[in-house]
């Protein structure tokens, strides 16, 4: 039952935690610890929100002098960097459940499914079968693969995508807290599409965390941090490229690109203000179930910097999950190389195309330990299946555990790949996820 908004709550029935963008110069940590840093703190349920603005903390622009060594040997201990104060909180839960959904690919049939008989647009059907899982998470992320530039510049599918604002409304209604936009399709509709998308989120859903694209250098220099149950979580989002489309000449900061100097500098800032760091890279090779050398190189680099969790997208199929650089609590980084598509309607035909209907929700629970450290307490995958069916409100995504052979036979992807079936999806999960996949 949908709840009405109340103080400290949202209509999804979980604590309302406003996104906090923090700009922090690690060399000025001493000032914060000695009380010279000014802050605003707003209690929200069992959470404390802390905000540092650029004017309060000074300007910081990463330079080529930031090295991997500096990032890995930063003297700032995350647990001591910022001490939340404010209303005393008792009986605080020491765990946070994190969930991430894969690529939202707005092929023409997906976009068309949102046009209702009365001429309005609504995309709630895309997420209807997973809404309970999304809203039950403390922190829910999603990869919005294509820009939402609105119907005013024309909806379009592959290869130059543009989605309706109503897709964003559906993402918010489904319960997502953070939307990732650093993808190879971020500039498909140029500067206009990107600015339309940014303006839409800021005006229509200002509480949504929108990462990977920005309209100012100041925004790019900030680090997004969300505090839940006393645990400060930093999230960074980058893409390998933008399909050869150059960044606008007057907006070189428009899209976050995978660059080791930039990433190292961002991790330094994140370490200074967060207990746990998540990096969401758009990387890898499309339609390949294995791990590329490029992904391995970056995964090892993230691990060397001290990143805790990597949630990857872009291949449009699922890929393995593994620890890199050690185990949990011992310098290890948990890496989800690709969680595949959450929704799509590929136009291609042939054997194996049906695998693009299979995705997964990454589910990770983190906890604060008695020694103050924050580590991963549990992790897994929840496989999903895009159910392709023509008509208004018909395309949707199911949990694989709720899918059946009967539904698979109705899935219109069978017209493009006759080998698609429920059992095909199960066997693919077994092959890629191994023991992590629990049937």
């Amino acid at each position: 039952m949908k709840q009405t908004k109340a103080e400290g709550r949202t209509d999804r029935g979980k604590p309302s935690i406003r996104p906090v963008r923090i700009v922090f110069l690690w060399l000025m940590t001493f000032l914060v610890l000695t009380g010279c840093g000014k802050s605003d703190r707003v209690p929200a349920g069992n959470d404390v929100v802390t905000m540092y603005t650029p004017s309060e903390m000074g300007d910081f622009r990463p330079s080529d002098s930031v090295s991997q060594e500096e990032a890995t040997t930063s003297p700032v201990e995350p647990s001591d960097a910022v001490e939340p104060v404010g209303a005393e909180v008792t009986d605080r839960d020491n765990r946070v459940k994190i969930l991430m959904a894969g690529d939202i690919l707005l092929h023409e049939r997906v976009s068309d499914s949102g046009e209702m008989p009365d001429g309005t647009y609504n995309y709630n059907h895309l997420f209807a079968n997973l809404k309970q899982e999304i809203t039950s998470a403390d922190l829910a992320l999603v990869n919005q693969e294509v820009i939402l530039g609105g119907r005013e510049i024309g909806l379009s599918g592959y290869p130059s995508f543009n989605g309706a604002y109503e897709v964003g409304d559906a993402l918010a209604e489904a319960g997502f807290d953070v939307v990732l936009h650093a993808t190879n399709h971020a500039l498909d509709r140029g500067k206009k599409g990107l600015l339309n998308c940014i303006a839409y989120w800021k005006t229509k859903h200002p509480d949504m965390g929108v990462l990977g694209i920005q309209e100012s250098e100041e925004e790019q220099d900030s680090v997004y941090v969300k505090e839940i149950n006393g645990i400060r979580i930093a999230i960074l989002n980058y893409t390998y490229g933008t399909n050869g489309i150059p960044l606008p000449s007057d907006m070189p900061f428009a899209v976050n690109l995978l660059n080791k100097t930039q990433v190292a500098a961002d991790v330094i800032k994140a370490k200074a203000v967060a207990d746990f760091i998540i990096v969401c890279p758009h990387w890898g090779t499309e339609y390949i179930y294995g791990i590329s050398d490029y992904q391995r190189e970056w995964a090892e680099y993230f691990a060397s910097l001290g990143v805790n969790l990597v949630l990857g997208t872009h291949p449009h199929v699922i890929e393995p999950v593994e620890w890199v650089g050690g185990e949990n609590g011992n310098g290890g980084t948990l890496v989800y190389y690709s969680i595949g598509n959450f929704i799509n309607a590929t136009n291609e035909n042939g054997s194996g195309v049906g695998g693009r209907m299979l995705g997964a929700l990454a589910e990770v629970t983190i906890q604060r330990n008695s020694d103050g450290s924050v580590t991963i307490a549990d992790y897994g995958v929840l496989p999903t299946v895009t159910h392709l069916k023509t008509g208004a409100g018909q395309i949707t995504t199911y949990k694989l555990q709720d899918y059946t052979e009967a539904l698979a036979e109705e899935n219109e992807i069978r017209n493009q790949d006759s080998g698609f079936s429920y059992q095909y999806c199960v066997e693919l999960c077994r092959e890629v996820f191994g023991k992590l996949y629990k049937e």
Side-chain angles (χ1 to χ4, degrees):
M1 180 179 297
K2 186 174 180 180
Q3 300 183 19
T4 57
K5 289 190 176 182
E7 186 67 27
R9 305 291 294 184
T10 71
D11 60 357
R12 51 183 290 192
K14 68 180 186 182
S16 172
I17 311 150
R18 297 177 183 173
V20 181
R21 286 191 172 271
I22 304 176
V23 176
F24 191 87
L25 175 56
W26 70 277
L27 293 175
M28 294 182 67
T29 304
F30 175 78
L31 295 179
V32 178
L33 296 178
T34 54
C36 297
K38 188 177 168 185
S39 66
D40 296 319
R41 299 177 175 89
V42 183
N46 287 340
D47 307 288
V48 179
V49 176
T50 307
M51 181 179 293
Y52 294 89
T53 67
S55 60
E56 291 168 337
M57 297 308 301
D59 187 27
F60 176 69
R61 183 68 180 166
S63 68
D64 292 339
S65 63
V66 178
S67 66
Q68 178 178 345
E69 181 179 1
E70 288 177 300
T72 56
T73 59
S74 171
V76 181
E77 292 294 333
S79 60
D80 298 329
V82 180
E83 188 65 30
V85 297
E88 183 178 354
V89 179
T90 59
D91 298 325
R92 173 181 289 172
D93 189 358
N94 68 342
R95 289 194 170 202
V96 175
K97 181 180 178 181
I98 301 166
L99 174 147
M100 179 162 162
D103 306 334
I104 308 298
L105 262 172
L106 301 178
H107 292 104
E108 288 184 7
R109 283 183 286 179
V110 177
S111 285
D112 291 347
S113 76
E115 185 175 5
M116 300 294 114
D118 62 359
T120 61
Y121 279 74
N122 187 300
Y123 292 91
N124 290 342
H125 54 280
L126 302 181
F127 313 104
N129 296 313
L130 276 301
K131 185 173 181 178
Q132 181 177 348
E133 283 68 30
I134 296 165
T135 57
S136 67
D138 298 303
L139 176 61
L141 300 81
V142 62
N143 184 59
Q144 179 49 51
E145 180 78 19
V146 310
I147 209 72
L148 302 180
R151 287 181 280 136
E152 64 186 74
I153 61 173
L155 303 184
S156 55
Y158 180 84
S160 184
F161 289 93
N162 177 53
Y165 296 143
E166 288 83 358
V167 173
D169 296 340
L171 290 169
E173 172 65 23
F176 288 107
D177 304 291
V178 175
V179 174
L180 308 170
H181 267 295
T183 80
N184 56 307
H185 292 291
L187 294 176
D188 276 5
R189 299 303 295 271
K191 182 177 176 179
K192 175 66 173 176
L194 182 137
L195 290 177
N196 277 8
C197 185
I198 293 172
Y200 159 74
W201 285 117
K202 287 185 175 181
T203 57
K204 190 68 182 294
H205 300 287
D207 291 334
M208 181 71 77
V210 179
L211 306 186
I213 58 174
Q214 46 273 318
E215 59 182 340
S216 73
E217 184 176 307
E218 181 182 46
E219 289 178 347
Q220 187 179 55
D221 287 348
S222 67
V223 173
Y224 180 95
V225 173
K226 204 160 196 179
E227 181 174 341
I228 305 171
N229 293 340
I231 298 176
R232 299 179 296 269
I233 304 166
I235 308 172
L236 307 173
N237 180 214
Y238 311 90
T239 178
Y240 73 90
T242 54
N243 288 344
I245 303 172
L247 296 171
S249 59
D250 59 341
M251 294 180 66
F253 43 75
V255 182
N256 291 345
L257 301 176
L258 280 168
N259 172 284
K260 288 187 176 180
T261 297
Q262 180 70 56
V263 171
D266 290 345
V267 171
I268 287 174
K269 291 182 286 185
K271 282 183 177 181
V273 294
D275 306 298
F276 193 86
I277 302 173
I278 303 173
V279 173
C280 301
H282 206 64
W283 61 357
T285 306
E286 291 183 333
Y287 317 127
I288 299 298
Y289 294 93
I291 303 165
S292 71
D293 292 340
Y294 181 80
Q295 286 170 298
R296 286 203 179 278
E297 177 187 346
W298 270 105
E300 291 171 2
Y301 187 69
F302 293 143
S304 74
L305 297 178
V307 171
N308 303 103
L309 175 63
V310 174
L311 299 170
T313 58
H314 174 63
H316 305 310
V317 294
I318 57 173
E319 292 181 348
V321 179
E322 67 178 15
W323 286 95
V324 175
E327 293 296 326
N328 188 26
N330 187 31
T333 300
L334 180 61
V335 181
Y336 287 72
Y337 286 97
S338 174
I339 51 178
N341 294 324
F342 183 89
I343 195 79
N344 82 108
T346 180
N347 291 322
E348 293 190 31
N349 297 276
S351 178
V353 167
R356 303 176 195 181
M357 300 297 110
L358 182 65
L361 300 181
E363 296 183 313
V364 180
T365 299
I366 63 177
Q367 68 178 13
R368 186 179 293 282
N369 305 308
S370 59
D371 63 359
S373 65
V374 175
T375 56
I376 294 172
D378 192 20
Y379 65 97
V381 293
L382 182 64
T384 61
V385 182
T386 295
H387 189 65
L388 188 56
K389 195 171 182 180
T390 301
Q394 294 301 303
I395 295 179
T396 191
T397 293
Y398 286 89
K399 290 182 287 185
L400 178 58
Q401 65 190 42
D402 293 339
Y403 214 57
T404 63
E405 285 291 4
L407 282 171
E409 290 178 5
E410 295 176 4
N411 196 321
E412 292 177 7
I413 194 63
R414 287 174 59 85
N415 298 329
Q416 299 161 243
D417 179 4
S418 60
F420 177 84
S421 67
Y422 166 77
Q423 192 59 34
Y424 168 83
C425 295
V426 169
E427 291 175 359
L428 195 51
C429 283
R430 289 172 181 165
E431 179 181 349
V432 175
F433 292 136
K435 294 181 180 179
L436 196 61
Y437 169 48
K438 295 178 171 53
E439 301 180 44

